[in-house]
Amino acid sequence: MISWWCTTLEEPWSWTWIPYPGVWIVSIVPMLFYGRAVHRHSDPTPTSKKVLFVLGWIIFWIASDWPLGTLGAGYLASAHVTQFLLYTLGAAPLILLGTPEWMARRLLSKIRLYRAVVWLGSSLATCALAYNVILVSTHAPWTVETLRASQFGSFAMDVVWLIAGFVLWLPVLSPLAEGKAKSPWAKILYLFVTTSVIALVPASYLTFTTTPIYGVYELAPRIGSMTAASDQQIAGIIMKLATIPIIWGTIAVIWFRWAGAESRRT
């Protein structure tokens, strides 16, 4: 029987490839629709945007498919956290950067989410709260063990993580000018607070707790000599450190662009 999405497996880990057709469909279909829409639109879309959009969905594919998706679904907490970071810090911002304004307007109007997305992107506190609620709740032991036990549950978790990434980056990278923060300082403070304050709680807990908190990873067949406790500590370290280059790199870009604009005015 072919699985359509990654889920918890009980057999010992092997490097035997496992096909997940559902992952392929979810990853490829948006790129096909994007290419069709861009081809039909009267104004040309910059190649850089096309590359960013495709790269975003490729990262989604890598995070969801074998081997990382399989490892994260039932073998390693560190792979689970790595998936979360790839969705929220890799796939989501690249997809937003690669989406032309006209496409975002057309799609959001069609599904009647334009006003909601504009409001959300303009509400920094709401985005910060929503992102961190998803972060904490999807890394809670009960949630992980409940959702990872089924293909649909794992699929739902991965999609929610991608949505969390969109929520995180909307105030900074929204394709709609009216749907993001106007002040560069507001963007900088938002990114710092959203990713460096509440997010430290689960990261620190994973790092400094010596007892495994996830039954699904504690009871999973071991991979090499890594224990469940050391795997969990690695997961916490990844969650703490992996955000630094992305978030602070973005903050630096925002600051330098603001400084450049100010110097040109004077």
Side-chain angles (χ1 to χ4, degrees):
M1 180 179 177
I2 296 179
S3 298
W4 62 276
W5 207 269
C6 301
T7 188
T8 302
L9 301 176
E10 297 181 357
E11 58 261 28
W13 172 259
S14 71
W15 287 100
T16 304
W17 176 67
I18 302 175
Y20 294 108
V23 175
W24 308 341
I25 293 170
V26 172
S27 303
I28 294 173
V29 168
M31 291 188 276
L32 295 177
F33 276 102
Y34 179 91
R36 182 170 176 265
V38 165
H39 178 72
R40 290 188 170 188
H41 192 66
S42 55
D43 296 329
T45 300
T47 302
S48 58
K49 279 194 171 292
K50 298 176 186 177
V51 171
L52 290 171
F53 187 89
V54 170
L55 184 58
W57 281 106
I58 289 176
I59 291 176
F60 176 90
W61 192 341
I62 292 171
S64 307
D65 207 351
W66 183 94
L68 184 57
T70 310
L71 289 170
Y75 290 94
L76 296 174
S78 53
H80 171 87
V81 169
T82 301
Q83 285 183 281
F84 169 78
L85 295 173
L86 285 175
Y87 291 133
T88 56
L89 301 182
L94 290 175
I95 292 170
L96 287 176
L97 285 170
T99 303
E101 182 178 356
W102 60 265
M103 183 181 292
R105 292 186 185 281
R106 181 182 299 176
L107 176 62
L108 293 174
S109 298
K110 200 167 188 177
I111 60 178
R112 300 187 177 183
L113 287 178
Y114 170 79
R115 291 185 179 179
V117 170
V118 169
W119 170 80
L120 183 62
S122 303
S123 177
L124 302 183
T126 303
C127 285
L129 178 62
Y131 171 77
N132 279 288
V133 165
I134 294 174
L135 166 64
V136 173
S137 61
T138 56
H139 287 85
W142 182 88
T143 307
V144 172
E145 293 176 20
T146 301
L147 295 184
R148 289 303 196 186
S150 68
Q151 295 182 65
F152 181 78
S154 286
F155 166 74
M157 178 174 284
D158 294 346
V159 171
V160 167
W161 278 346
L162 183 64
I163 293 172
F166 290 144
V167 170
L168 170 64
W169 291 103
L170 264 181
V172 181
L173 302 177
S174 174
L176 307 175
E178 68 274 24
K180 58 185 175 182
K182 304 299 186 291
S183 167
W185 292 106
K187 295 177 183 179
I188 289 173
L189 183 61
Y190 162 78
L191 286 175
F192 173 75
V193 172
T194 303
T195 61
S196 303
V197 180
I198 300 177
L200 281 178
V201 176
S204 299
Y205 190 72
L206 290 173
T207 304
F208 297 111
T209 301
T210 56
T211 303
I213 63 173
Y214 298 117
V216 62
Y217 300 121
E218 180 183 8
L219 301 176
R222 305 313 323 148
I223 299 177
S225 58
M226 183 183 298
T227 64
S230 61
D231 169 46
Q232 181 173 287
Q233 290 173 335
I234 292 171
I237 294 170
I238 292 173
M239 185 180 289
K240 271 186 178 181
L241 300 182
T243 60
I244 293 175
I246 303 296
I247 298 301
W248 283 99
T250 304
I251 288 174
V253 170
I254 294 171
W255 188 87
F256 281 116
R257 286 182 177 177
W258 170 81
E262 288 296 310
S263 64
R264 286 191 294 271
R265 288 176 189 172
T266 58

